[in-house]
Amino acid sequence: MLNFTVGPVMLSQEVMETGAQQVPYFRTSEFSAVMKGNERLVKKFAHLDDKGKVVFLTASGTGAMEATVMNVLSHQDKVLVINGGSFGHRFVQLCQIHHVPCTEILPEWGHDITDEQLAAYDGQGYTALLVNIDETSTGVLYNIDRLTRFCQANHALLIVDAISSFLADPLDMTRSHIDVMIAGSQKALACPPGISLVALSERALRRVENNDVESMYFDLKDALRNAERGQTPFTPAVGILLQINTRLRKIDEDGGDAALVRKTSELAANFRNSIQDMPFEIVSHSLSNAVTPLHPTTAKAYDIFTTLKDEYNIWVCPNGGDLKDKVFRVGHLGALTIEDNQTLIRALKDMQKRGLL
């Protein structure tokens, strides 16, 4: 199988070998050292200063999104949510479930938000802005500098779901004044799904400490106390955390986040250049390195996904709902190479010859 989805993604040999080992008992100093190493390297790659902390949750990315809304925000807040797709909409749903007053910004489909759109909310008492920085359902990467300027001018928290963007696009929590960054194990971290993480600035940590949360599993105060000793409150996905440690150390050896972002950018550019003469339209006007969203002009998107999967053993990412037959997505995350890109291109060209594209 050749996997061009945006999660889970292709795993490296080192990560797979770690996953093949027996899972050890975790209430030990050895596992605590692994967890502290994980936090140190995530902070390094996210450019989070020494006063910040990272919490690892055994949950999908949505679990980390919900934990953030529950622990950092409250009904006394007034938040803006950029709702440009299914993941932006998820933040809206979470705010509604937890009674956090929110206003949606609805950008034009496939486009970044504009300064003019944000200006309408200037000086209106908003206390936080929530964004899925790479809205992978549409392939849009929002301009972090624009969001930072708004939040700084309005003294608002900046909460960034970077599940698809972390380690694929440039991201600097300190420079961009990001208070919360959410990431997941199955995207550019290129490990199996099952772990999400929440990186918290000093300001966000104060919010967590002063917030009363009606939850046992998603109480970040408890998670932070346990993290001081390199542990988690409950049994974590030990094997995946060990794989994350293997992956983070390899990223560090290979030049850190900048080198991985550059590699992902090169893969994305190579693929996009290779399809210029094919019957596809790239539907996003503000692209992330992580994914290329494509509208086929001569076939149905879901038929392309099915044919690649069933006849070529190549997986791309389908869409659901109204986009099912209109858009499919090609990811550029994980252990992919330029040669893998060309394998996909050859399959697509063969489909053209067969009249399937």
Side-chain angles (χ1 to χ4, degrees), residues 82 106-115 117 131 133 140-144 146-147 284-286:
I82 298 176
L106 299 169
E108 182 181 354
W109 194 89
H111 290 257
D112 195 356
I113 60 167
T114 65
D115 288 320
Q117 286 175 299
V131 61
I133 198 68
V140 173
L141 180 70
Y142 295 108
N143 186 312
I144 190 64
R146 178 178 291 123
L147 304 179
S284 172
H285 297 267
S286 176

Side-chain angles (χ1 to χ4, degrees), residues 94-112:
L94 288 167
C95 286
Q96 292 170 342
I97 288 168
H98 295 287
H99 308 291
V100 177
C102 71
T103 302
E104 301 173 60
I105 301 179
L106 299 169
E108 182 181 354
W109 194 89
H111 290 257
D112 195 356

Side-chain angles (χ1 to χ4, degrees), residues 3 9 18 29-30 35 37 50 75 82 94 108 133 154 156 164 198 224-225 232 249 275 287-288 293 302 342 346 350:
N3 185 356
V9 301
T18 299
S29 59
E30 290 83 0
M35 291 297 289
D50 288 341
H75 68 277
I82 298 176
L94 288 167
E108 182 181 354
I133 198 68
N154 288 274
S164 294
V198 182
L224 287 162
R225 283 192 294 269
T232 57
R249 288 189 288 107
I275 60 167
L287 285 167
S288 164
Y302 198 81
Q342 296 312 306
R346 285 193 296 272
D350 187 58

Side-chain angles (χ1 to χ4, degrees), residues 148-253:
T148 296
R149 288 194 298 270
F150 175 85
C151 289
Q152 289 294 101
N154 288 274
H155 308 290
L157 295 163
L158 178 52
I159 296 174
V160 175
D161 168 1
I163 291 171
S164 294
S165 188
F166 178 53
L167 298 172
D169 302 303
L171 184 141
D172 187 319
M173 289 188 67
T174 299
R175 185 184 70 81
S176 297
H177 300 279
I178 296 170
D179 292 289
V180 181
M181 184 205 73
I182 301 164
S185 56
Q186 77 277 22
K187 304 290 186 174
L189 264 175
C191 290
I195 292 290
S196 57
L197 62 90
V198 182
L200 299 145
S201 73
E202 184 180 20
R203 183 163 69 152
L205 287 168
R206 287 198 296 270
R207 280 290 196 112
V208 171
E209 286 302 321
N210 293 324
N211 214 351
D212 292 322
V213 176
E214 294 182 357
S215 174
M216 177 180 286
Y217 194 79
F218 285 134
D219 183 353
L220 293 188
K221 282 196 288 290
D222 193 14
L224 287 162
R225 283 192 294 269
N226 278 271
E228 290 295 325
R229 60 190 181 96
Q231 291 288 329
T232 57
F234 312 105
T235 302
V238 175
I240 300 172
L241 287 163
L242 292 171
Q243 288 175 292
I244 288 173
N245 186 257
T246 295
R247 173 67 169 155
L248 289 170
R249 288 189 288 107
K250 180 62 175 171
I251 293 169
D252 201 30
E253 291 170 8

Side-chain angles (χ1 to χ4, degrees), residues 57-113:
L57 301 172
T58 297
S60 70
T62 302
M65 293 169 72
E66 183 159 29
T68 297
V69 170
M70 293 170 65
N71 286 266
V72 178
L73 303 174
S74 75
H75 68 277
Q76 296 178 335
D77 280 292
K78 180 182 177 182
V79 308
L80 277 175
V81 181
I82 298 176
N83 181 1
S86 59
F87 296 104
H89 179 62
R90 196 163 297 175
F91 262 140
V92 174
Q93 292 175 296
L94 288 167
C95 286
Q96 292 170 342
I97 288 168
H98 295 287
H99 308 291
V100 177
C102 71
T103 302
E104 301 173 60
I105 301 179
L106 299 169
E108 182 181 354
W109 194 89
H111 290 257
D112 195 356
I113 60 167

